[in-house]
Every structure is written in C-alpha cells, then in structure tokens.
Amino acid sequence: MSGAALGLEIVFVFFLALFLLHRYGDFKKQHRLVIVGTLLAWYLCFLIVFILPLDVSTTIYNRCKHAAANSSPPENSNITGIYAAATPVPSQYPCFMPWSYIPDGIMPIFWRVVYWTSQFLTWILLPFMQSYARSGGFSITGKIKTALIENAIYYGTYLLIFGAFLIYVAVNPHLHLEWNQLQTIGIAAANTWGLFLLVLLLGYGLVEIPRSYWNGAKRGYLLMKTYFKAAKLMTEKADAEETLEDVMEEVRKVNESIKYNHPLRKCVDTILKKCPTEYQEKMGRNMDDYEDFDEKHNTYPSEKSLVKLHKQVIYSVQRHRRTQVQWRILLEQAFYLEDVAKNETSATRQFVHTFQSPEPENKFIQYFYNPTVEWYWECLLRPWFYRILAMVLSVFSVIVVWSECTFFSTTPVLSLFAVFIQLAEKTYNYIYIEIACFLSIFFLSICVYSTVFRIRVFNYYYLASHHQTDAYSLLFSGMLFCRLTPPLCLNFLGLTHMDSSISHQNTQPTAYTSIMGSMKVLSFIADGFYIYYPMLVVILCIATYFSLGTRCLNLLGFQQFMGDNDMTSDLVDEGKELIRREKRKRQRQEEGENRRREWKERYGHSREDSTRNRNVHVDSKESSLSDLSTTRSSKYTRANNRTERDRIELLQDVEPLDFNAETFTDDPLESKSERSFLYPPFRYQPGGRYLSMSQTGIFDDV
C-alpha cells in the first residue's frame, strides 16, 4: 500500500476539480487555454488540501522511527512483528508503518513542484491570461500587447514589495543574503498577502455557513429570499437587455459604414460573429456591399474604437446570456419552494409538482425517490437534517475560533486541534490522525472557498453555476485559490502544532513546512504577524453574526436581504408578483399544449385521411388543366407575343419603386395604403415580368 493512497487521491482530486469546473465553466464556448489554466489552478489547490493529512501521518511515523533509532530498546522485550504493532503497550516506541505511508524523498519533491507551479500560475501566468481573455484585440499580437500593458503596474507592485524585504535583509548586519534566504523572503511576501485575505474570508465563512443551513430549515425564509432575488435579478436582466440593445445599435452603425473592401472589414466580421444569431440576421439584410468605402467622404471608426466595441460586445452578450439562464433557474427554485409549502399540509403524503420537469428523470432515481419519499424528505426530514448539520458546523466554528486565538500557547496546549492530534500521536492511531486532520482542514477550506464562490465584485467577478461564468472570473478564482491555499495549510499546521516555529520544539518538520524555509530571516513576521493577526477572526465573526457588512451595503444603496427593512419588503412583494405572473404564463402554455395534443389525438387521423383525398383530387384536376392549357397555347401564340410586347412598353414608362428607409413606417396598414395609392400593386415574376395584383388592372385580358 506504500504510495497507493497518494495515487488514489491524485486521481480523485483531478475528477473533483474537473466536475466543479464543468459546473461553472463552459467547455464548448470558452478558450481551451482558459479551461486548462483554471483546471490546473483548482486541481493543485485541492490536491494540497487532500494530501496534507498524509504528510502529517508520515511525519509522525518518521518522528517515532527517529526516536526509536536514537534510544535503546527496553530490557526483556521479545515482542516483534505484527504482534508488536498490534500491542503497543510493552514497547516504549511502538512504531509501525501506516497504511498511507509515503516513502522518503517523494513528499519534498511533490510539494516543491506543486507549490512553485501554483505560485507561477497565480503571480505570472493567470493575470496575463486574464488580461488576454478580456482584451478586445483582433489578433494574437494585439491581445498580448494589451495584456502586457495592463499587467505592467501589477508586476511592478510585486517588485516593490520584494524590494522592500530585500532592503530589510541587506540592512540587517546579522543576516547574509543567500539564495535560500531570498527564496524565504519571496515565500513570506506571498504568504503574508494570502494570510491577510484568508482571515477576512474565514471570518465570514465560519458564521455564514452554519447560519445558511439553519435558515435553510425555514421554508418561509427561503421563499421570501427567493422572491427578493427574483426582483433583483429582473432589474439586472432588464439592464443587461438594454445594454445589449445599445451595443448592438453601435455594431449596426459600424456594419453599415464599413463596406466589404474597407481594410477594417475583417474586424467588423469578427465582431458580428460574437453577436447573437437574431442580431446577425437583422444586420445581414439590406447590405449595399457594392458601394466602395471611398466613394463617400464619411468618418470611419478607428481600429482602437473597434477593439473597444469588440470588448463591449463580448461582455454584454455574456452578461445577457447569464441573466437569462439564471432567471429560468430561479423560476424553477421558486416554483419548487411554493410546491413544498403547499405539500406540507397534504393528507395523502404524496409530493405533487405544479409543473413537470422538462428533462426526463432517471428511472432508477424515479423508482427510489418516488413522491412518497420526496414528501417525507422535503416536508419532514430535510428541515431537521439542516438544523442538526447547522449545530455541528457551529461547534466546528467555535473550535476554530478558540484555536486561532490560543494556538501560540505551547505550555499548556490550548489549541483543541493540537490536543486531538497529540492524543492520537501517543497511541499512534494513524487512521484517527488522518481523519482528524482531513476533517479539520476540509472545514477550513470549505469556509474559505465557499466565500470565494459567493462573493461578487459588481459584474467584474462573479462565479455563476450552470456554465455561466466568464473566462475573467474563472481565471480570477484560480488566482485566489493559489494565493489562499499555502497560508491556509500553514495556518492549519500551526493550529495542530506540527510547525516547529509555533511549537518551539526541535522535532522533524513536515515535508510541506520544510520547503517554506525558516521564517527566522523575517522575525517580525514569524513572531508577530503570523501569531497575532489570525486573532482578528473573532472580530470578523462578530461582525458577520450581526450582519454589519450587509447593513453597510444596504446603507450605500446596494439592496441586501434584511428581514426588518422596508426596502426588503417592497422587493419581496415585487418578486412575488413576478413569480406569480410567470407561473400564470407557464400554466397557459401548458394548457395550450394539452389542448393541441388532445385535438391531435382526437382528430389527427381523420384530418390525415381528408388531406390525402384532397391531394389526390387536386392532382387529377391539375393534370386535366395542364392538358387543356397545352391545347390552347398553340392556338393563341401570336396574340400572346403581341400582347407581351405592348406590356413591356407600358412598364418602361412606370416610375421605379423607392426602397429608401424613409418610405417605410411601423404601421403595416398605413404603409400598405400609401403604397397602393402611390404605385400600382405589381407582382414580380421570373423573366423580368410584372403582373397586377388588383381586380381591375390593365392586364386583365392576359
């Protein structure tokens, strides 16, 4: 089993990252480099979280083995082999290899590759790809140039911070500049930035995650919040549609001004490909491509303005598509919550849906998750399950907050995480050690990562599920994960006293802390910032519990869901009316489809028979008429030729129709009456001939 656990977790974490990326990204429409870069960033961060418990258990075994090698075995000890491993009491050092043991030399190389790859992604590659994906350039060279200019200030801040630490080390006479120390300075700078953001996100997640599950047990609360979201999303949806209309109007003007032989026509065609299909069809009509661009002295847009327009088109189309999908999903959630509220008082204990699911359900799931099971789960068991889960998560949150404030105390040991690990270390119960470490770091990572998935920075950063996240937000999330995961793991090792700089013991460090180097080079960070800054999580948890951030945003004009606010009540009523309107609309559609289906089932066969008989009768009649016309054609050939010449002469004197846009009106009746008054209604036929559509025309005798 040596190394098998490492291989299994590597494969499992890859599919986990792939599943999450498929949920938020779009493999078909987004660029492959964006998908690969984001997948690699998420994969490496999740891999660190899952592999770190194996590193802890392996380190504890190596410490035991090292202690056993440096001390003589007790007298009269004849217990060896498997019995010694199973009975640790007679021996002073009952060292036995854990099932997930990783051989020496593998973990340092593994952590070094994973860590430096993630740092290269978050500080160099992903910011460049982010600017490249958001650029509106029409060529690879133009996009690269734009990305370099945008990241010049970004990279300059890195050099400034690194230079400040470098000057501090150079001025200190007790320190000498070496490559390992420079590497430690870079790691310390990155971890300091990540720890600063980590505490902010952790303080929010420790309170919000248990509270979200507790509120999830309240049906009325969830339904009111869904109504509130519907009102806000409708406003955003209308704004996205209006923005798209404005951008498409600009595209239409550019498309009409730049003709086929203009040098910038290729750029316009690239912009048109990014537009929705219905707008492309509208712009493709009435195109006078035969006109040369230099025949009229018009002002044409520059390439720089087209780049800006291209960027606006990409953003507006993505936002419009996202709001449309989110609106449909929110409607399904609202309908389902209303069904739950109705079925709670059902005497039959059968869950009844107002609307059937548009997608066919799996027969296996439909067999086990039948309406009876669904009623018991949704109306009876799920609220209690959410309450119990919320209480368990609240206990975990209290343990984390207490440990963050006391992990620096080694005598006595006050950190609960360190107490649990040290108790398991005395009995060398590696299974318990790995489970305890995994649950601890998994809960910490959930609190941090879920906040990353929830936060929204206006419309620039927003992770939307159901394949609606844009490339900019995906890459930005990868950057955040790579910056937050290393300080998160260091903080976890400090909570468990596995970091020698925290425990102040001369013991073998984990392979993960060994690649970080000794923080004694920057003592004010190792002994000050890393110790006391995590205590701020208490203040952030209190602020989150009393919703101070939500209240501040509400005062600034950003509407947030608050139960004791008049604005919230108004938006809830508005959302409720919107949901009711959409529900009536869908009910009418289903009723119409049911009537058409019943009509087709009742009268479909008789109509097919009558249609078939009518076609046979028409075919026989057309064949007889064709025979009659052939006999008459030879009789009236000369008269028809003369009449044809007279009609052509008359048509040459008729004024041509004016197809300018000014002659058309929005009212079809008005336009029809004007055209019939000004010009005779002609019908064009192949061969350049026109036939009158009126009852008393000049060619009725033809």
Side-chain angles (χ1 to χ4, degrees):
M1 293 296 293
S2 179
L6 179 63
L8 291 176
E9 290 197 358
I10 288 175
V11 176
F12 172 76
V13 171
F14 174 78
F15 286 104
L16 176 62
L18 188 65
F19 169 75
L20 290 177
L21 184 58
H22 178 264
R23 177 177 175 82
Y24 287 90
D26 192 349
F27 291 170
K28 296 180 180 180
K29 296 182 180 180
Q30 289 173 343
H31 200 278
R32 293 182 180 178
L33 293 179
V34 174
I35 298 297
V36 172
T38 308
L39 177 62
L40 183 60
W42 289 14
Y43 173 61
L44 293 177
C45 295
F46 298 161
L47 194 63
I48 295 175
V49 173
F50 278 82
I51 301 299
L52 193 60
L54 303 183
D55 189 9
V56 173
S57 62
T58 302
T59 302
I60 293 175
Y61 170 73
N62 290 332
R63 288 178 181 179
C64 176
K65 186 172 60 175
H66 180 72
N70 294 335
S71 62
S72 59
E75 297 179 359
N76 300 326
S77 178
N78 298 323
I79 301 175
T80 56
I82 301 176
Y83 183 76
T87 310
V89 178
S91 179
Q92 184 179 0
Y93 298 101
C95 301
F96 60 94
M97 185 179 297
W99 72 279
S100 59
Y101 176 74
I102 301 174
D104 296 336
I106 295 180
M107 289 306 298
I109 298 175
F110 176 80
W111 286 130
R112 191 172 287 109
V113 172
V114 171
Y115 177 77
W116 289 111
T117 303
S118 64
Q119 295 304 301
F120 174 76
L121 288 174
T122 186
W123 297 106
I124 298 178
L125 184 60
L126 291 184
F128 179 81
M129 293 178 62
Q130 197 175 17
S131 301
Y132 182 89
R134 202 175 181 84
S135 174
F138 299 100
S139 61
I140 299 178
T141 306
K143 291 184 178 181
I144 293 176
K145 182 179 178 180
T146 304
L148 290 176
I149 294 175
E150 290 182 358
N151 286 274
I153 301 176
Y154 188 73
Y155 295 137
T157 56
Y158 300 160
L159 296 177
L160 182 63
I161 296 174
F162 183 77
F165 284 109
L166 193 64
I167 293 173
Y168 170 78
V169 175
V171 171
N172 195 342
H174 301 287
L175 298 176
H176 301 282
L177 290 177
E178 296 179 359
W179 171 250
N180 293 332
Q181 295 176 350
L182 292 176
Q183 179 179 339
T184 303
I185 292 173
I187 294 174
N191 291 335
T192 302
W193 191 97
L195 185 63
F196 177 80
L197 184 60
L198 174 68
V199 174
L200 299 178
L201 301 179
L202 184 62
Y204 177 82
L206 288 174
V207 177
E208 191 61 30
I209 290 179
R211 184 164 58 184
S212 64
Y213 281 102
W214 183 263
N215 292 331
K218 304 176 184 178
R219 294 300 179 189
Y221 178 87
L222 285 180
L223 192 57
M224 294 300 106
K225 193 172 183 179
T226 304
Y227 290 152
F228 178 83
K229 289 181 179 179
K232 288 190 63 177
L233 186 58
M234 176 55 72
T235 304
E236 183 182 357
K237 181 170 169 287
D239 184 57
E241 292 175 354
E242 183 179 355
T243 303
L244 182 63
E245 290 288 342
D246 295 339
V247 174
M248 291 299 105
E249 181 65 22
E250 295 293 330
V251 174
R252 185 189 64 80
K253 294 178 181 179
V254 171
N255 184 40
E256 292 178 356
S257 61
I258 297 180
K259 302 303 178 181
Y260 72 100
N261 55 352
H262 196 279
L264 297 177
R265 184 61 199 181
K266 294 182 179 179
C267 301
V268 177
D269 294 337
T270 304
I271 295 175
L272 290 176
K273 291 179 181 178
K274 303 295 178 62
C275 298
T277 307
E278 59 271 16
Y279 289 99
Q280 293 183 16
E281 294 176 354
K282 291 180 182 179
M283 296 176 190
R285 301 167 186 167
N286 300 327
M287 286 289 295
D288 297 333
D289 284 345
Y290 58 85
E291 297 181 3
D292 294 331
F293 73 93
D294 55 353
E295 290 182 358
K296 299 179 181 179
H297 301 284
N298 296 330
T299 57
Y300 298 99
S302 61
E303 186 176 359
K304 187 176 181 180
S305 62
L306 291 180
V307 169
K308 184 179 179 180
L309 181 61
H310 187 203
K311 186 176 181 180
Q312 292 176 353
V313 168
I314 296 174
Y315 169 73
S316 60
V317 171
Q318 173 67 27
R319 186 187 175 195
H320 179 263
R321 186 186 302 115
R322 185 186 68 216
T323 53
Q324 296 290 335
V325 174
Q326 287 179 336
W327 176 251
R328 292 195 295 268
I329 296 171
L330 189 63
L331 288 179
E332 296 295 335
Q333 293 177 356
F335 296 156
Y336 189 75
L337 290 175
E338 290 179 347
D339 292 341
V340 171
K342 292 179 180 179
N343 285 275
E344 284 180 349
T345 58
S346 176
T348 59
R349 296 190 176 185
Q350 297 280 333
F351 198 92
V352 179
H353 293 270
T354 304
F355 303 106
Q356 297 297 328
S357 178
E359 299 179 358
E361 296 182 356
N362 191 359
K363 294 183 179 180
F364 180 78
I365 298 176
Q366 191 175 5
Y367 177 76
F368 288 98
Y369 195 66
N370 51 38
T372 304
V373 176
E374 186 176 3
W375 186 90
Y376 276 99
W377 168 249
E378 292 293 341
C379 302
L380 189 63
L381 299 178
R382 188 172 184 175
W384 287 103
F385 174 76
Y386 275 16
R387 291 189 184 98
I388 296 173
L389 183 59
M391 290 187 289
V392 173
L393 294 177
S394 300
V395 173
F396 268 94
S397 298
V398 173
I399 294 175
V400 170
V401 173
W402 171 261
S403 300
E404 290 286 355
C405 297
T406 60
F407 74 94
F408 58 89
S409 176
T410 56
T411 53
V413 178
L414 298 178
S415 175
L416 296 179
F417 290 107
V419 171
F420 297 152
I421 297 301
Q422 289 179 5
L423 289 176
E425 186 177 359
K426 291 179 181 180
T427 59
Y428 296 97
N429 190 348
Y430 296 107
I431 299 295
Y432 173 80
I433 292 173
E434 293 176 1
I435 293 176
C437 290
F438 176 76
L439 292 178
S440 303
I441 194 172
F442 184 75
F443 179 72
L444 292 174
S445 60
I446 287 296
C447 293
V448 176
Y449 293 161
S450 64
T451 309
V452 174
F453 280 98
R454 288 185 181 186
I455 60 176
R456 177 176 181 177
V457 184
F458 299 103
N459 288 318
Y460 294 99
Y461 171 74
Y462 181 38
L463 289 177
S465 58
H466 299 85
H467 321 291
Q468 298 305 313
T469 306
D470 58 351
Y472 184 89
S473 299
L474 286 176
L475 295 172
F476 191 75
S477 65
M479 291 167 52
L480 287 179
F481 286 161
C482 291
R483 296 180 189 183
L484 292 171
T485 304
L488 174 65
C489 295
L490 283 179
N491 182 256
F492 166 74
L493 294 175
L495 295 177
T496 57
H497 288 185
M498 295 297 296
D499 190 356
S500 58
S501 62
I502 301 298
S503 61
H504 302 289
Q505 296 178 0
N506 189 14
T507 56
Q508 181 180 359
T510 60
Y512 186 80
T513 54
S514 64
I515 68 167
M516 295 294 175
S518 178
M519 291 299 173
K520 295 180 180 179
V521 180
L522 303 172
S523 59
F524 70 94
I525 292 180
D527 299 332
F529 185 78
Y530 285 171
I531 299 297
Y532 299 104
Y533 179 72
M535 295 181 184
L536 292 177
V537 74
V538 179
I539 300 176
L540 294 171
C541 288
I542 295 174
T544 306
Y545 180 79
F546 291 102
S547 302
L548 295 182
T550 302
R551 298 179 188 275
C552 292
L553 290 175
N554 204 16
L555 290 176
L556 294 175
F558 301 97
Q559 290 84 9
Q560 303 294 319
F561 183 75
M562 298 177 62
D564 55 349
N565 192 3
D566 295 336
M567 182 63 69
T568 302
S569 301
D570 295 339
L571 289 176
V572 167
D573 294 337
E574 181 183 351
K576 188 175 183 179
E577 183 61 30
L578 291 172
I579 297 299
R580 187 180 303 161
R581 188 186 308 167
E582 292 292 335
K583 193 173 185 178
R584 289 197 300 265
K585 181 180 178 181
R586 182 170 296 187
Q587 287 176 348
R588 289 194 298 267
Q589 290 178 354
E590 288 194 353
E591 290 174 359
E593 291 178 358
N594 292 333
R595 285 195 299 268
R596 284 192 295 268
R597 191 182 301 110
E598 292 176 359
W599 180 271
K600 186 176 181 180
E601 291 176 357
R602 184 178 301 177
Y603 303 105
H605 300 289
S606 60
R607 290 183 62 185
E608 291 178 359
D609 296 337
S610 61
T611 304
R612 190 180 300 108
N613 296 331
R614 190 184 304 113
N615 291 334
V616 173
H617 178 70
V618 169
D619 292 338
S620 61
K621 186 175 181 180
E622 287 180 353
S623 60
S624 61
L625 289 176
S626 61
D627 296 337
L628 182 61
S629 61
T630 51
T631 55
R632 290 183 179 180
S633 60
S634 59
K635 187 175 182 180
Y636 297 102
T637 302
R638 295 182 180 179
N640 286 336
N641 291 335
R642 184 175 181 180
T643 307
E644 180 72 15
R645 289 194 300 268
D646 296 339
R647 184 173 56 188
I648 293 174
E649 292 176 359
L650 288 173
L651 284 175
Q652 290 177 353
D653 297 333
V654 177
E655 291 292 331
L657 294 175
D658 188 9
F659 288 97
N660 293 329
E662 299 176 354
T663 60
F664 293 99
T665 60
D666 295 333
D667 191 358
L669 297 176
E670 181 181 356
S671 60
K672 183 176 180 181
S673 61
E674 290 179 356
R675 288 195 299 269
S676 62
F677 176 77
L678 294 175
Y679 309 107
F682 295 112
R683 177 162 54 100
Y684 181 77
Q685 288 214 354
R689 295 179 296 173
Y690 288 85
L691 296 180
S692 174
M693 298 295 294
S694 62
Q695 298 294 331
T696 58
I698 59 176
F699 299 133
D700 287 345
D701 56 342
V702 179

